[in-house]
Amino acid sequence: MFPSNSPETDREPWADGAPPASGSAPRTGPTAEADEGRRSSGPRRLRRGGSPRRADDGPDADDDEEDEPPVEVRRKLSLAIGGFAALLGLGLVLAAQTSGPGHRVPFTIVVFGVQVMFVLAWTMVTRPPALAVVLGAGVVTAVAADAVAVRSAEARLGPLVYIAIGGVVVAVLGQLVRRVDRVRVTDSLRTTATIVFGVVALATLVVLTRIPAGTQAIAVCLTASAVALTVARFADAAAAWPRLAPQVPRGAAGVVGGAMVGTLVGALLGSYLVTPFTPTRAAIIGLVAAVVAVLADLAVGYAEASRMMAGELPSVWAARHVQGPLGAFAMAAPAAYLMCRLLL
């Protein structure tokens, strides 16, 4: 009997000829299929327990990432910052009461001292390029703004805005001199502008003493701001809850509670002040000033946390912790001027 099929039928067509272009014949059978299955499934990853996991199990980011513990709230430090804010606000309010027509130099000297502290703290913390140039530009801008605020013909903010813009231009030009500083000018422009505009904003308090009811507006706004900052920091020392962010040692209860207590104090002061103040107007003015102050202080905390997360080395200890209250009063000063113009 002869087989029905020729023995040449089951042979591959290239068995007697040249090998395929790849240089090796394809493998067939279970071994090749298993190899193809391993290649298609991709590399395996090990779970924490040691068992392999294929790609079809899906990514599990929560298992691979561990939550970092929240930053510890230093109670003594929070109390110290709250006390500094209270003393700073009290000093500005009392100095404003000594101001009068032809007698504004003492209050201007106090404001200038606060401006110098603001420039020193913010330049040491943010460390812009050409630090000495920015520091000098900030101090010179503060002197010019105070002089214009005292001696200008009318009590307006227009001349102060021009001085602030000129101070920023001078600081930026000083940063462009050195090649090393020139590279970082664009990144530090916001920081430089904040420093210069901050010292000019504090000079707004001198302008306020020259308009009717301006001194009383300073008393209401700065008192509300100081109380709000102090209550917020003391509340954080007691219980920073709920945490606004794990990296920021601040609690929402302190921020909201400080703004509310500051508004209440503003309304109480308004009930004792003379016309045009009323409890309602004083409450509105105190609310705006308190909210601006606590939010500015909180923003400084977030900026500090972002610098630490970016790996920057911490700056001078005292400068980092007084930066918040100084920035808060710098923001509250133009808010007080604006509310005085709108409501009084």
Side-chain angles (χ1 to χ4, degrees):
M1 297 291 293
F2 293 96
S4 60
N5 294 331
S6 174
E8 300 293 328
T9 305
D10 296 335
R11 297 181 61 183
E12 299 292 341
W14 56 77
D16 296 333
S22 60
S24 62
R27 293 184 298 172
T28 59
T31 304
E33 293 177 358
D35 292 342
E36 292 177 0
R38 281 195 294 269
R39 286 195 299 267
S40 63
S41 62
R44 296 187 180 183
R45 294 189 298 174
L46 293 179
R47 299 179 187 267
R48 290 188 178 179
S51 60
R53 179 177 65 182
R54 294 187 180 273
D56 55 357
D57 293 340
D60 193 356
D62 296 337
D63 293 342
D64 295 338
E65 298 179 358
E66 295 183 358
D67 295 335
E68 296 182 359
V71 177
E72 181 184 2
V73 179
R74 301 163 63 181
R75 290 180 171 82
K76 293 183 179 179
L77 179 60
S78 296
L79 294 175
I81 297 175
F84 173 77
L87 292 177
L88 182 60
L90 180 62
L92 288 172
V93 170
L94 293 179
Q97 305 307 312
T98 64
S99 180
H103 196 261
R104 297 187 176 89
V105 175
F107 180 57
T108 306
I109 294 175
V110 174
V111 172
F112 178 72
V114 178
Q115 289 171 321
V116 172
M117 287 193 297
F118 179 89
V119 173
L120 289 174
W122 280 72
T123 51
M124 289 181 182
V125 172
T126 57
R127 285 176 288 192
L131 190 146
V133 175
V134 176
L135 184 63
V139 174
V140 172
T141 303
V143 173
D146 294 342
V148 171
V150 173
R151 303 180 63 87
S152 60
E154 298 181 6
R156 297 183 297 108
L157 293 185
L160 298 183
V161 175
Y162 296 137
I163 292 175
I165 296 175
V168 173
V169 172
V170 171
V172 172
L173 291 178
Q175 292 172 343
L176 293 175
V177 174
R178 296 177 56 191
R179 183 176 182 180
V180 178
D181 301 329
R182 194 181 308 146
V183 179
R184 300 172 50 204
V185 168
T186 304
D187 297 335
S188 65
L189 180 60
R190 182 176 59 181
T191 300
T192 304
T194 301
I195 294 172
V196 176
F197 274 88
V199 296
V200 175
L202 288 168
T204 307
L205 298 174
V206 181
V207 179
L208 259 178
T209 59
R210 299 182 55 189
I211 64 178
T215 303
Q216 295 178 342
I218 291 176
V220 173
C221 291
L222 296 191
T223 301
S225 300
V227 170
L229 294 173
T230 304
V231 171
R233 291 290 184 170
F234 283 10
D236 291 337
W241 179 88
R243 291 292 289 269
L244 295 172
Q247 297 82 12
V248 181
R250 302 297 304 274
V255 174
V256 177
M260 294 176 64
V261 176
T263 304
L264 176 61
V265 171
L268 292 176
L269 287 177
S271 62
Y272 291 101
L273 295 177
V274 297
T275 306
F277 275 92
T278 62
T280 302
R281 291 180 177 178
I284 296 174
I285 295 174
L287 172 64
V288 173
V291 170
V292 169
V294 294
L295 290 182
D297 187 24
L298 183 62
V300 171
Y302 273 93
E304 177 67 18
S306 64
R307 285 191 294 267
M308 298 298 291
M309 293 176 65
E312 296 184 11
L313 296 176
S315 56
V316 181
W317 183 87
R320 287 190 291 120
H321 299 305
V322 302
Q323 183 190 12
L326 289 172
F329 283 106
M331 293 296 295
Y337 179 89
L338 180 62
M339 297 306 296
C340 183
R341 288 294 194 184
L342 293 178
L343 297 180
L344 302 179

